[in-house]
Amino acid sequence: MAASYMDDLRSDVPRSAASWVRPEKLHLTLRFIGDCSDACLRLLTEQVAGIAAVTSPFSLAITGTGVFPSIKGPRVVWLGVRDLKGALDAIQRRLVPADHVTTATTRKEQRFSPHLTVARIKDMEKCRAMIARHLGSVFESPDFRVSEIIICQSTLHAAGSIYQVRSIHPLTGV
């Protein structure tokens, strides 16, 4: 459904200078950590494993449109999340990096909202119409079941992001 939305948006405003996320790379970002040492990754993996062990599968929907970091200077075009029972919010609140691995990026991202990135802006002037169309759109997916948390490493390249799964944590709580 998100891929169809992206295709429609790209077709409606074909001259936008944006880097579109390929459908097979769409994912829900719960928290952006930034540069993470091996020690940081170990700590994060332990935290997520503990959270997954006490969290039951739950339902979400992808809904709403927006841009980061601001409407005046957007760099990321995203779809939001509807979390009626607060399960995602509870997971996010539990993910608190220890002081010795907290980076400037992590501190800046404490106000981070879970989202699905659909595009990255290359040239704001050439993307104004697409951004206006996106922000004026209504998007809502059916509910879907969340049954695991995946820690991914993302590396940005000119041809797009490369994602490497670092660990998978099934939600097994009762």
Side-chain angles (χ1 to χ4, degrees):
M1 191 167 195
S4 294
Y5 171 81
M6 292 165 51
D7 285 344
D8 290 347
L9 187 58
R10 198 174 354 194
S11 295
D12 288 350
V13 194
R15 290 196 169 94
S16 298
S19 174
W20 296 89
V21 175
R22 294 198 318 249
E24 67 272 13
K25 292 187 176 190
L26 286 170
H27 63 277
L28 179 65
T29 302
L30 175 60
R31 168 143 317 159
F32 177 77
I33 302 297
D35 291 332
C36 188
S37 66
D38 289 342
C40 171
L41 181 59
R42 280 191 299 279
L43 176 64
L44 181 63
T45 301
E46 289 171 14
Q47 285 182 348
V48 171
I51 292 167
V54 298
T55 303
S56 298
F58 58 94
S59 293
L60 292 176
I62 303 299
T63 184
T65 61
V67 294
F68 288 137
S70 71
I71 198 162
K72 290 183 179 183
R75 291 191 309 264
V76 174
V77 178
W78 55 262
L79 295 171
V81 179
R82 184 184 68 228
D83 177 20
L84 292 177
K85 295 190 177 178
L88 197 62
D89 186 51
I91 291 169
Q92 191 177 28
R93 280 193 319 268
R94 291 183 198 140
L95 282 173
V96 180
D99 289 342
H100 70 282
V101 295
T102 300
T103 64
T105 302
T106 304
R107 284 190 297 273
K108 181 176 77 179
E109 298 297 339
Q110 286 177 347
R111 63 187 185 284
F112 192 81
S113 298
H115 66 280
L116 193 80
T117 297
V118 296
R120 288 181 177 77
I121 304 299
K122 290 181 176 181
D123 183 329
M124 176 55 196
E125 291 305 314
K126 293 180 181 175
C127 287
R128 286 191 190 283
M130 181 270 288
I131 292 167
R133 163 82 162 70
H134 172 68
L135 293 174
S137 296
V138 175
F139 182 89
E140 184 150 352
S141 77
D143 286 0
F144 60 91
R145 196 96 171 125
V146 176
S147 59
E148 63 189 10
I149 302 170
I150 301 173
I151 298 175
C152 282
Q153 178 178 354
S154 170
T155 308
L156 283 178
H157 291 279
S161 296
I162 296 175
Y163 299 105
Q164 180 182 5
V165 173
R166 302 304 298 229
S167 59
I168 300 173
H169 306 272
L171 302 181
T172 57
V174 184

